[in-house]
Amino acid sequence: MSLGSWFRWNEPSRRMSQRSPTEMVIETLMMELGWQIKEAEKQQRDRENEYRKIKTGVDYSWLISYQKHNYDISPGERLQLEDLCSKIHPSYCGPVIIRFRQLIAEYEPEAPEVSRLFRSALHDVLERMKEEEEAKKLASQWNTKHKTSLSLTTFKTRSRISPFSSDIKTISEDVERGTDPTRRVWSMPEFRSTRDY
């Protein structure tokens, strides 16, 4: 038996290439939900310990052993949340997590309330996605309608800039002629109105 079968780093990661972006979004968002539920449980235990310390005046926290994960959402609710997560575009996965964390920080929920906050974060981002999609549609409609009308319109300016016109005076011409140069700045192009042409 070879050592290669014991260690899996020799094999290419086939699992990563087989997952679609939607599956990755669902997995990422559901992992965030699970982590936030665990954190809410931990904070709830910490609050209970603080309350016991204040009430009894003695710290017995080193004697207590906790179950790792008490609360879990129901399978039906999990399926509904996964369905909502599947509607999220991969580029909006980050904003969902940010909004969810903002809601968690704002409300400091207990474990059963975390899934409701997650659902509201998903709905917020889905609404934002719809609004941005509608704005893009309106912008594209506006651009297609008004591209033709703006392309037909020509804008004419009243003055023209002629930097390489043949009758532009230069300093070297004045030196050759031996005349005093006029007070115009020679590094600037000459501006003329359209009436001069």
Side-chain angles (χ1 to χ4, degrees):
M1 186 152 108
S2 69
L3 289 175
S5 63
W6 287 79
F7 303 107
R8 297 291 181 195
W9 67 71
N10 294 340
E11 296 179 12
S13 60
R14 294 183 195 124
R15 183 176 175 184
M16 291 298 284
S17 63
Q18 293 174 353
R19 295 187 331 190
S20 70
T22 304
E23 290 172 348
M24 292 175 68
V25 166
I26 292 170
E27 185 177 334
T28 302
L29 293 176
M30 294 308 287
M31 281 178 23
E32 178 71 22
L33 174 63
W35 184 78
Q36 291 292 348
I37 288 174
K38 288 178 186 176
E39 284 296 308
E41 286 178 343
K42 181 183 173 190
Q43 288 177 357
Q44 186 176 0
R45 282 193 306 261
D46 291 344
R47 284 192 294 259
E48 288 171 0
N49 285 340
E50 288 297 319
Y51 177 72
R52 277 192 213 116
K53 269 191 229 179
I54 292 171
K55 187 177 177 184
T56 62
V58 182
D59 183 16
Y60 290 115
S61 61
W62 57 275
L63 283 174
I64 301 172
S65 64
Y66 296 105
Q67 294 177 353
K68 287 193 174 185
H69 191 59
N70 292 335
Y71 179 76
D72 198 16
I73 57 177
S74 67
E77 187 175 9
R78 177 174 288 280
L79 287 174
Q80 289 174 352
L81 291 174
E82 286 177 356
D83 183 50
L84 281 175
C85 291
S86 68
K87 296 175 183 176
I88 300 291
H89 190 270
S91 63
Y92 287 91
C93 187
V96 169
I97 292 173
I98 290 171
R99 179 66 182 141
F100 181 45
R101 289 179 181 175
Q102 287 173 346
L103 290 172
I104 293 289
E106 184 178 339
Y107 293 108
E108 297 178 3
E110 293 185 7
E113 300 167 346
V114 172
S115 61
R116 281 180 264 160
L117 290 177
F118 184 65
R119 184 184 303 271
S120 68
L122 289 172
H123 283 296
D124 290 348
V125 172
L126 284 171
E127 286 176 16
R128 187 185 329 157
M129 282 175 52
K130 285 180 185 177
E131 289 171 1
E132 288 178 6
E133 206 173 285
E134 289 173 4
K136 283 180 185 177
K137 284 180 184 177
L138 288 175
S140 66
Q141 287 175 354
W142 175 264
N143 287 338
T144 55
K145 282 182 184 177
H146 295 289
K147 261 186 186 175
T148 55
S149 64
L150 287 177
S151 64
L152 296 176
T153 320
T154 56
F155 297 103
K156 293 187 178 182
T157 59
R158 292 185 179 179
S159 62
R160 291 186 183 173
I161 301 174
S162 307
F164 299 110
S165 180
S166 62
D167 59 339
I168 294 178
K169 296 178 184 178
T170 61
I171 295 175
S172 61
E173 289 177 2
D174 290 334
V175 170
E176 289 172 3
R177 287 190 212 136
T179 60
D180 292 330
T182 58
R183 296 192 173 234
R184 187 169 88 73
V185 177
W186 294 109
S187 63
M188 297 295 291
E190 187 174 341
F191 291 93
R192 295 183 182 180
S193 67
T194 55
R195 287 181 241 148
D196 295 341
Y197 286 105

